[in-house]
Amino acid sequence: MLVPMSIQNNERKQADVIVQTRELNLFYGDFQALKDVDIAIREKSITALIGPSGCGKSTFLRTLNRMNDLIEGVKITGEILIDGMNIRDEQIDLVSLRKKVGMVFQRPNPFPLSVAENILFAPKIHKTAQRKNHPMIVEECLKSVLLWDDFKDRLDMNALNLSLEQQQRLCMARLLSVKPDILLMDEPCSALDPIATERIEELMWILKENYTIIIVTHNMQQAARVSDDTGFMLLGELIEFGKTKRIFTNPQDQRTNDYITGRFG
Amino acid sequence: MNLKTFKEFLIEKLIFLSGVTSIMLVILIFIFLTKEGLSLFKAVSLKDFLLGHYWYPISEPSQFGILPLILGSLFVTMGATIISVPIGVASAVYIAEIAPPRMKEVLKSGIEILAAIPSVVIGFIGMTTLVPFVKNALNLPTGLTAFSGSVMLAFMAMPTVVSIAEDALNAVPKKYKEAAFALGATHWQTIWRVVLRAASSGIVAAIMLGIGRVIGETMAVMMITGNAARIPTSLFQPVRTLTATIAAEMGETVQGSDHYHALFAIGIVLFVITFIINLIADFAVHRKLK
């Protein structure tokens, strides 16, 4: 398990900050994708990252569960603290990090297995549950994403036969089975139609009760609708970060203003 | 009709003809095989042919029981499958999922070279190295056994198994792997629980085609399995396969004799077996699409 290091850690200005980065830089070879990103994300809130394509928002998200490790030639400098623990530390256990920080991808990616098996994938590999508790876990996770009523009689259905929205919900349910603290969502609605999008957004509101959600989106309306805090990124820099309401009504930076008013994007 | 449309017409028909040729050839071969093979059953019943224990084609009276040959083929094929499938699938996993790029290239060309070795060479190598080794190591009266054949045929099936299984593994969408990693799965858990399962139909196809390769193989088995047409009770006895029987005896039969027809009937049996194997492979490949 990740042990929350120290409450007395001076670096944590607010008690409820769960993710903090300091002077975070990331390079793909010679290309610098993140430039000195400093951000403090509050617990049990929804934080949206907006910005034009290629601004580094997805890259940033993927540093938080170290998915960038899978890419060759990535170099990172700076600090990423999750619960006060520097996750860039070589000592860190990737498995517990990824159990703590779950990720929902842009395209729904359920495994080509049954609905139930998708949800039980993580409990099985981490051996966190006894076999007799498996049905309970499936029910709990499906209920939290509002899929239970639709699928309680069809748990053995192949997940690839679900609609895209259902697949994306299943992917969220699959994450919840490991009881993460943080949910990273990388444009979770970009493959969905507007009605499905709205319903996923409603789901995010419900999940916020128990989880910290960080969502990357290039849909500004979505950021404005769902998030508590918003960060605007451009060319690898975090230009502005603050309460969503303020960012959208009274941006301090001219570039933020230009972006949210649609002058570029 | 002007020149241009006529040209189109001509080309279209030519391509159609080439396409149909291969099917026509299959049909003609099948007709020929059936015509020559089925004549046997005027003299021998189907049951005596398939289940008869004795293959004495040139004694008086002759007997045409191919059970020992079927079992011979079965023993050799099973042995080769048991050896080649685990190693083949494991090396496909290594090449597709684990090996660094340089290593991958080296292994892939190595496997292509293995596929290019003529079967008579494999048989020859087996005869001079493996056969004496088996004889001495296991203290057998002869090293020409089903086991020796299995080992050498495993080498021949391996390239088929590896390359087709590797294609299947490479075709697994990257997003499944990402999902597994993001859930905290280790590399091995991802391979075992996600990649191999997602590629399972392709791997079954690889295994079936490997088996097909082994069943049809003739030269190497003829050289190293001993060719004794009797019902085998263990892998460490000489056996004779269906293919080796045809190859060894076809030259010395009288055309039109029962023996001659019996060899064609064996051909039909082989044809049916490989057809079924290909059907299973095909079914496995297309199962995913439904």
Side-chain angles (χ1 to χ4, degrees), chain B residues 149-207:
Chain B
S150 299
V151 172
M152 294 321 281
L153 283 191
F155 286 121
M156 305 183 63
M158 211 110 65
T160 312
V161 176
V162 174
S163 55
I164 296 175
E166 196 224 331
D167 285 345
L169 292 170
N170 280 332
V172 173
K174 209 172 140 239
K175 61 179 187 174
Y176 295 154
K177 275 193 266 178
E178 260 190 341
F181 283 132
L183 286 167
T186 61
H187 198 165
W188 170 244
Q189 285 169 329
T190 306
I191 291 172
W192 182 247
R193 290 178 177 266
V194 178
V195 180
L196 277 176
R197 285 183 81 163
S200 60
S201 58
I203 290 173
V204 170
I207 294 170

Side-chain angles (χ1 to χ4, degrees), chain A residues 106 108 145-147 162-170 172 185 187-205 215 219 222 225-226:
Chain A
Q106 190 166 356
V145 298
L146 314 178
L147 277 182
L162 272 55
S163 75
L164 279 180
E165 182 205 340
Q166 289 167 335
Q167 288 188 14
Q168 196 62 300
R169 280 172 187 268
L170 180 64
M172 292 184 183
M185 299 192 181
E187 311 217 14
C189 301
S190 65
L192 305 181
D193 63 55
I195 294 168
T197 300
E198 194 185 326
R199 291 169 45 173
I200 295 281
E201 286 173 8
E202 279 164 16
L203 177 60
M204 287 167 60
W205 272 98
I215 175 178
N219 176 341
Q222 182 170 56
R225 279 192 304 263
V226 298

